[in-house]
Amino acid sequence: MPLLRIRIIGNADDTLAVTALLQGLEGIEHVEETDDLMTHLDDEDSSSAGLSDDIGPGIHELEVHVGNDTTTQRVRDAVELLARERGVVIEYEHDEG
């Protein structure tokens, strides 16, 4: 089953909108948000040590298990349209699997 990874540069509401869209599409096996699975390592000597990182849009990652390549293209088309409407940036990484 193909796995499509989507990175969303936007806020949490944007990610929820993309997730809801994906869950409503036929042929989607599973949608899971996978960001923040690794701890962030700050260098204590860094000039940005201790500063808040909540300024600007966040980065959210989704893993989407799709049934076939046709569904993958449908997902891409639908997510790109929603991203344009909401003014968010999306990136894709596609693994065969």
Side-chain angles (χ1 to χ4, degrees), residues 20-47:
L21 171 73
L22 293 172
Q23 291 173 336
L25 292 176
E26 185 177 330
I28 300 299
E29 305 290 332
H30 182 74
V31 178
E32 181 177 354
E33 188 168 1
T34 60
D35 58 331
D36 283 340
L37 294 180
M38 293 183 61
T39 58
H40 299 280
L41 303 175
D42 290 331
D43 183 356
E44 292 179 13
D45 294 332
S46 171
S47 62

Side-chain angles (χ1 to χ4, degrees), residues 4-90:
L4 183 66
R5 289 187 177 96
I6 303 173
R7 180 174 296 128
I8 303 163
I9 302 172
N11 62 37
D13 289 339
D14 297 324
T15 303
L16 287 174
V18 172
T19 301
L21 171 73
L22 293 172
Q23 291 173 336
L25 292 176
E26 185 177 330
I28 300 299
E29 305 290 332
H30 182 74
V31 178
E32 181 177 354
E33 188 168 1
T34 60
D35 58 331
D36 283 340
L37 294 180
M38 293 183 61
T39 58
H40 299 280
L41 303 175
D42 290 331
D43 183 356
E44 292 179 13
D45 294 332
S46 171
S47 62
S48 61
L51 294 178
S52 173
D53 64 354
D54 62 355
I55 298 172
I59 298 175
H60 306 271
E61 295 183 9
L62 298 176
E63 283 189 356
V64 184
H65 295 267
V66 295
N68 56 46
D69 290 335
T70 302
T71 303
T72 299
Q73 189 58 50
R74 237 186 3 231
V75 165
R76 287 176 180 255
D77 293 343
V79 170
E80 288 172 13
L81 179 61
L82 181 63
R84 275 194 299 271
E85 290 173 359
R86 297 186 69 94
V88 299
V89 176
I90 54 170

